[in-house]
Amino acid sequence: MAMGYNSCTAACVGFVVLLVFNQSYLGNAADQGQGLGASFIFGDSLVDAGNNNYLPTLSKANMVPNGIDFKASGGKPTGRFTNGRTIGDIVGEELGQPNYALPYLSPNATGKALLVGVNYASGGAGILNATGRIFINRVGMDIQVDFFNQTRRQIDKVLGPSQAKEYIMKRSIFSITVGANDFLNNYLLPVLSIGTRISQSPDAFIDDMISHFRVQLTRLYQLDARKFVIASIGPIGCIPYQKTINQLNPDQCVELPNKLALQYNGRLKGLLAELNENLPGSTFVYANVYDLVMDVITNYEKYGFTTASVACCGNGGQYAGIIPCGPQSSLCNDRLMHLFWDPYHPSDAANLILAKKLLDGDTKIIYPMSLRQLRDHGLG
């Protein structure tokens, strides 16, 4: 799904809590033959775990009641743009990781802690560098890849170059959830994008996104990344913010953002097929987040939700979809019953449903293999 304003952005941010690492696990991490070694997470507020806490930015989630259901922090906000865990957190748990990947900007993200993985995601981030400038500061994809380059050198020092290369190539997964902000907080943003829209058609803008993303993914491959999962853009026209400002009925979505997302997703599938063919030894998995999320929205009652339109935490309009979640927001009593936590982001309950489908779903949702299969792929 997607984001779009202040603490909305598309990119979870923030481990303020000091994570206590199991040093015995970390010391042996590179020697273990099973399970996921490291999880390297890139993207926006959907998966950010606290990086924006360390930035002077308007896109922050390190205030109550964000994190109210996040057990690892005792219910305190961490910079995640949800009430609990991100999809990246849940996937890491399910694949056997002992701790969540630390935000890159956290002072604890150093030494052996890197062997569990690192989260580079940033609220407001996009594929294009201009995306998210309304928030003043964010870490876009180009810089996130630069940051991984620094991590890659540090892992060489921890494990030695030969073992580090093996660990990155065979025991690590690179997950990337990005692109929604390029539309919501760039192309479709009335104030800042008018020049872009006059000069670029949707086709040209998406061409630009794909060409930049190709370079970013290829750079990660050149740094020894081999196992990738790339999320499509979700139905961004269905988030409470979009429904509220467009005064839609609960079962309606805004057509243009969804049309742009589908157009981009079609091109993304082609890009990943191209990279699978041209980059030897790589596996690029396509996560069909659009159809997955749309199914949950359409059939929300079947999934145990009472609403797929109203934000649990927010203010403004029929769907509490104008003002991002913060201390002054109205807060629902039944957080398990809301698909959306705030005007832009899914709740912990929704993230759990989505993560489990990606972990073990069929090829309509996750292609050509599930995340659990990707973890074990190439390990013999």
Side-chain angles (χ1 to χ4, degrees):
M1 217 68 123
M3 16 298 69
Y5 177 72
N6 213 1
S7 89
C8 76
T9 69
C12 268
V13 243
F15 240 60
V16 228
V17 227
L18 177 63
L19 291 183
V20 181
F21 277 83
N22 180 333
Q23 293 300 324
S24 63
Y25 171 87
L26 293 169
N28 298 320
D31 300 320
Q32 294 182 357
Q34 316 180 33
L36 180 62
S39 175
F40 296 106
I41 299 170
F42 301 79
D44 55 32
S45 54
L46 291 173
V47 289
D48 192 346
N51 283 303
N52 281 24
N53 295 346
Y54 303 94
L55 298 176
T57 177
L58 297 176
S59 175
K60 284 183 183 283
N62 59 342
M63 75 284 291
V64 296
N66 292 295
I68 190 171
D69 298 307
F70 191 63
K71 292 178 182 174
S73 69
K76 294 183 174 66
T78 63
R80 287 166 168 78
F81 291 76
T82 185
N83 58 310
R85 299 160 296 174
T86 69
I87 290 178
D89 294 330
I90 297 166
V91 166
E93 285 178 10
E94 290 287 325
L95 294 183
Q97 290 197 293
N99 294 296
Y100 301 125
L102 283 169
Y104 175 82
L105 294 177
S106 162
N108 300 321
T110 185
K112 288 184 177 181
L114 303 176
L115 299 183
V116 168
V118 179
N119 187 314
Y120 305 90
S122 170
I127 292 168
L128 303 177
N129 288 324
T131 293
R133 59 187 170 181
I134 190 174
F135 304 113
I136 301 174
N137 215 335
R138 72 278 170 216
V139 181
M141 269 301 297
D142 278 345
I143 304 299
Q144 290 184 35
V145 177
D146 289 344
F147 284 169
F148 175 72
N149 186 26
Q150 299 301 318
T151 300
R152 181 69 189 79
R153 293 177 187 175
Q154 291 180 59
I155 292 176
D156 270 352
K157 292 178 182 176
V158 174
L159 295 177
S162 176
Q163 199 176 6
K165 189 179 184 74
E166 180 94 349
Y167 193 66
I168 299 294
M169 292 176 76
K170 293 188 174 180
R171 300 284 317 290
S172 303
I173 288 179
F174 291 74
S175 63
I176 305 172
T177 305
V178 74
N181 280 322
D182 291 287
F183 293 113
L184 290 175
N185 290 309
N186 186 340
Y187 192 71
L188 292 171
L189 199 65
V191 180
L192 296 177
S193 66
I194 190 72
T196 300
R197 278 190 287 176
I198 288 171
S199 62
Q200 276 190 298
S201 66
D203 284 346
F205 186 79
I206 291 169
D207 281 348
D208 207 10
M209 288 177 67
I210 292 294
S211 64
H212 277 78
F213 205 25
R214 178 186 290 108
V215 171
Q216 290 158 358
L217 294 174
T218 302
R219 284 180 64 202
L220 288 172
Y221 175 85
Q222 290 166 345
L223 292 167
D224 296 326
R226 291 297 181 270
K227 298 181 181 184
F228 296 85
V229 56
I230 314 295
S232 71
I233 298 177
I236 51 179
C238 302
I239 62 177
Y241 174 71
Q242 289 287 336
K243 287 191 176 190
T244 302
I245 63 171
N246 288 280
Q247 300 182 324
L248 298 185
N249 294 328
D251 61 348
Q252 293 179 304
C253 296
V254 186
E255 187 177 341
L256 178 58
N258 282 357
K259 183 180 175 184
L260 292 170
L262 286 170
Q263 190 175 340
Y264 167 82
N265 292 342
R267 294 289 310 279
L268 176 63
K269 276 192 270 193
L271 172 63
L272 300 187
E274 169 199 317
L275 295 175
N276 270 325
E277 189 173 329
N278 294 339
L279 300 179
S282 67
T283 303
F284 285 86
V285 172
Y286 176 77
N288 183 4
V289 171
Y290 188 98
D291 286 349
L292 175 54
V293 172
M294 189 60 92
D295 178 58
V296 179
I297 289 173
T298 305
N299 303 296
Y300 65 90
E301 290 176 320
K302 184 182 87 173
Y303 287 96
F305 298 111
T306 56
T307 176
S309 300
V310 180
C312 174
C313 181
N315 282 107
Q318 185 178 353
Y319 308 113
I322 301 292
I323 301 170
C325 183
Q328 307 306 317
S329 301
S330 61
L331 182 64
C332 70
N333 295 319
D334 49 353
R335 297 189 291 275
L336 289 173
M337 301 291 107
H338 282 249
L339 195 160
F340 285 97
W341 164 244
D342 68 10
Y344 322 88
H345 305 97
S347 64
D348 179 276
N351 281 335
L352 182 60
I353 291 168
L354 303 177
K356 289 196 168 179
K357 295 266 190 179
L358 298 176
L359 281 157
D360 298 304
D362 60 33
T363 52
K364 290 179 183 175
I365 294 299
I366 185 89
Y367 178 85
M369 65 184 73
S370 72
L371 295 189
R372 214 176 292 278
Q373 291 167 332
L374 180 64
R375 174 193 65 186
D376 302 330
H377 183 62
L379 293 180

